[in-house]
Amino acid sequence: MGLTLPIELFQQANRRISAQQENVLLSWVCELPGGAAKRVFDQGKAFKGERFFWQNKERTLRLAGLGATDQLRVEQGQDRFLALHTRKEQVLQRTVTNSEETACGAVYFGGFSFDDQQDTSSEWEKFGEGFFYLPLFLVTEKEDRCYLSVNLWLSEEDDYAKVEAVMAQWDKIVASLVMPDSEVACILEERLAEDAWLRAATDVVALLQESPNMQKVVLARRMRLGFDGFLSSSLIIANMEEQQGNSYCFVLENGTSTFFGATPERLLMADAAHLESACVAGSIARGETASEDAVLGETLLSDAKNLAEHHFVVEMIQGTMAQFCEDVQVSASPILLKNRDIQHLYMTVSGRRSEARMLDVLRALHPTPALGGWPQSEAMTVIRLKEEMDRGFYGAPIGWIDSLDRGEFAVAIRSALAIDTNAILYAGCGIVADSVPTEELAETAIKFQPMLRVLGGKVHERT
């Protein structure tokens, strides 16, 4: 494509290097006519293991990142939200850029662990308590326009030849043919520790019935799939886009591990003036016919248990947003959020942003009662005692944040972790005092369906 990074911006970076006596991040943004984030992701196979993809549920924003100009892995014991905020602010102080376009330039993408007090299991070890990339190349597709961001560190020893080498690398990427990846077959499906999960759910129901204060505890479980080859991120994205409408689609590669999902749940969206969150809780299956689907939807809208679960979420998010926003607005009443395999109760909470730092709001919101329980602290204690697994990034914030503190994070549900030729799927459900453990187990089976379908596993259709 012959793109040329302006020499003037390079010279500006050199002057900053001389003045500050330290390396400088040069972040160049240009419009990319005819660009497409998914195509560039597919073309970037040379960066496999250092790629990410993000698509919002409205499909008005797509991000594809290749390479890691900077990488943040948060260690246990660190304040993970503060660690990311501090890193991006430090980088911002050393950045020379030509654009303030949202979701362009020095954008960090990644996620956090669900519980930083949980011992990290071996499959999640390389992700730490938080894991984020600042990509070398970022393609941002939004509002019918497409942008390329090039992020590279420059030192006083670097001349323009380094810039030319990076741009030549970009030209090679976009000139490469997109070769389709091979399909792999699912050869193993293992539902892990179902009996232990049922015992834990029974114990939690008894605890809730005896406790005057605790209202809800979310218990999660896992299943494992095995394949006759390595999973392809490109095929995973294509399947999620085709099958999982009305959902965020994300892929985060980290070496031979890939965390991915198609989640319906926004945790926080921030622009310069506003903050917005979504209240997603309560669930029921989709119907086989339009009339059956409508009946199921009406059942959900009038079900006392699900309405109570949803109310906990709305109350908590509204109260949290009120700490950071002015003029907080809550949508009038729950509506149905319909995905391919499941439907939920849905409302929004928004407000005018004051001086709030995005990651402070994110910290305060996580975990909502939809993924942890209520009250939060007591529910988390029970989860640590009864769940007997590491959720890793499941149920936790995943998304992006740019240098001007704008961004969006979703809740990483309907998600899976692929490691070599295996995948671990995650699903959870809210346990309340009148829950029936076998019915809750059936609900988690429904929540496995989206990733089972994406990966070609055995999808258990309702009869």
Side-chain angles (χ1 to χ4, degrees):
M1 297 179 70
L3 295 175
T4 302
L5 192 151
I7 187 69
E8 295 83 3
L9 196 65
F10 174 78
Q11 291 170 340
Q12 183 182 346
N14 271 342
R15 291 192 293 272
R16 178 77 73 85
I17 291 169
S18 298
Q20 295 185 184
Q21 293 295 300
E22 61 182 357
N23 294 352
V24 163
L25 180 77
L26 192 157
S27 183
W28 177 55
V29 181
C30 70
E31 192 157 355
L32 195 62
K38 174 60 165 59
R39 185 177 72 240
V40 169
F41 183 95
D42 295 344
Q43 290 172 311
K45 286 187 171 63
F47 291 92
K48 184 173 174 57
E50 283 189 351
R51 295 185 296 179
F52 66 78
F53 181 85
W54 166 271
Q55 176 178 269
N56 66 3
K57 72 187 189 72
E58 297 84 7
R59 304 201 173 188
T60 57
L61 176 67
R62 292 179 178 88
L63 303 176
L66 307 177
T69 290
D70 187 32
Q71 178 178 302
L72 173 66
R73 181 187 179 280
V74 183
E75 303 291 340
Q76 195 158 27
Q78 290 183 273
D79 182 326
R80 54 212 163 132
F81 298 100
L82 179 60
L84 177 59
H85 177 81
T86 300
R87 176 67 67 89
K88 82 173 184 64
E89 290 297 304
Q90 289 171 341
V91 169
L92 177 62
Q93 296 303 314
R94 299 165 63 184
T95 299
V96 169
T97 188
N98 67 324
S99 176
E100 294 185 353
E101 191 72 38
T102 305
C104 294
V107 173
Y108 280 86
F109 180 89
F112 297 98
S113 65
F114 178 79
D115 181 8
D116 62 355
Q117 296 184 40
Q118 174 69 262
D119 290 336
T120 303
S121 59
S122 58
E123 63 262 28
W124 287 105
E125 181 62 37
K126 64 174 64 174
F127 288 87
E129 301 303 331
F131 184 82
F132 286 83
Y133 286 132
L134 168 64
L136 174 61
F137 300 114
L138 172 67
V139 175
T140 305
E141 197 180 334
K142 62 172 184 171
E143 300 165 2
D144 300 320
R145 302 177 81 172
C146 194
Y147 301 88
L148 169 67
S149 303
V150 181
N151 298 300
L152 70 154
W153 288 107
L154 295 175
S155 68
E156 59 181 355
E157 292 83 18
D158 292 323
D159 57 22
Y160 194 72
K162 180 174 182 177
V163 173
E164 291 177 322
V166 169
M167 297 312 299
Q169 191 176 17
W170 168 254
D171 289 341
K172 184 177 180 180
I173 292 167
V174 295
S176 62
L177 297 175
V178 176
M179 303 301 292
D181 291 329
S182 300
E183 298 272 1
V184 296
C186 182
I187 57 175
L188 172 70
E189 180 180 313
E190 183 181 6
R191 296 177 179 268
L192 302 171
E194 284 191 348
D195 290 342
W197 191 91
L198 281 169
R199 289 194 295 271
T202 301
D203 290 347
V204 171
V205 169
L207 179 65
L208 292 168
Q209 290 173 346
E210 295 169 1
S211 171
N213 298 318
M214 289 190 63
Q215 304 294 321
K216 174 185 175 182
V217 175
V218 178
L219 284 183
R221 67 188 190 98
R222 305 177 299 165
M223 68 180 300
R224 184 166 69 91
L225 303 181
F227 300 86
D228 62 359
F230 292 92
L231 291 165
S232 159
S233 293
S234 293
L235 289 176
I236 287 170
I237 294 168
N239 289 343
M240 289 193 298
E241 286 189 322
E242 178 185 356
Q243 300 167 9
Q244 302 300 325
N246 212 16
S247 296
Y248 294 87
C249 295
F250 64 86
V251 166
L252 176 62
E253 294 182 345
N254 183 359
T256 58
S257 299
T258 302
F259 182 54
F260 59 93
T263 173
E265 189 168 347
R266 170 183 291 149
L267 185 57
L268 183 65
M269 181 173 66
D271 61 23
H274 296 89
L275 299 174
E276 182 173 312
S277 185
C279 310
V280 181
S283 60
I284 201 166
R286 297 296 306 273
E288 298 294 331
T289 65
S291 59
E292 183 189 14
D293 194 59
V295 169
L296 286 168
E298 288 302 316
T299 299
L300 180 60
L301 286 167
S302 59
D303 181 75
K305 172 184 177 292
N306 282 289
L307 286 169
E309 284 191 50
H310 189 257
H311 176 72
F312 298 146
V313 178
V314 175
E315 189 176 64
M316 181 268 190
I317 291 179
Q318 181 181 4
T320 302
M321 293 284 277
Q323 298 173 31
F324 299 97
C325 297
E326 300 172 359
D327 191 26
V328 173
Q329 301 290 321
V330 182
S331 54
S333 58
I335 62 172
L336 295 173
L337 177 65
K338 293 178 180 283
N339 302 114
R340 171 64 181 80
D341 298 282
I342 193 167
Q343 47 191 322
H344 299 279
L345 298 173
Y346 175 85
M347 292 174 66
T348 61
V349 180
S350 60
R352 246 188 351 210
R353 186 175 184 176
S354 53
E355 300 300 315
R357 303 192 310 197
M358 183 181 184
L359 290 163
D360 288 342
V361 185
L362 204 67
R363 179 199 286 111
L365 285 170
H366 173 73
T368 72
L371 269 301
W374 191 253
Q376 184 188 79
S377 177
E378 291 88 337
M380 290 295 292
T381 298
V382 175
I383 289 170
R384 292 176 189 127
L385 288 171
K386 291 296 180 181
E387 212 167 65
E388 297 184 358
M389 73 175 203
D390 177 18
R391 293 189 185 187
F393 281 22
Y394 164 72
I398 189 161
W400 62 273
I401 185 168
D402 70 15
S403 59
L404 296 182
D405 215 41
R406 303 166 299 196
E408 185 167 19
F409 281 79
V411 181
I413 55 175
R414 314 294 180 267
S415 57
L417 176 67
I419 306 172
D420 298 325
T421 59
N422 293 284
I424 302 171
L425 281 58
Y426 297 83
C429 62
I431 308 295
V432 295
D434 60 351
S435 287
V436 179
T438 53
E439 293 178 359
E440 302 294 354
L441 185 72
E443 180 179 320
T444 62
I446 294 171
K447 292 174 178 177
F448 281 132
Q449 300 300 294
M451 289 303 102
L452 274 172
R453 196 180 299 277
V454 163
L455 294 173
K458 185 179 179 183
V459 177
H460 300 273
E461 303 288 1
R462 295 189 316 111
T463 57

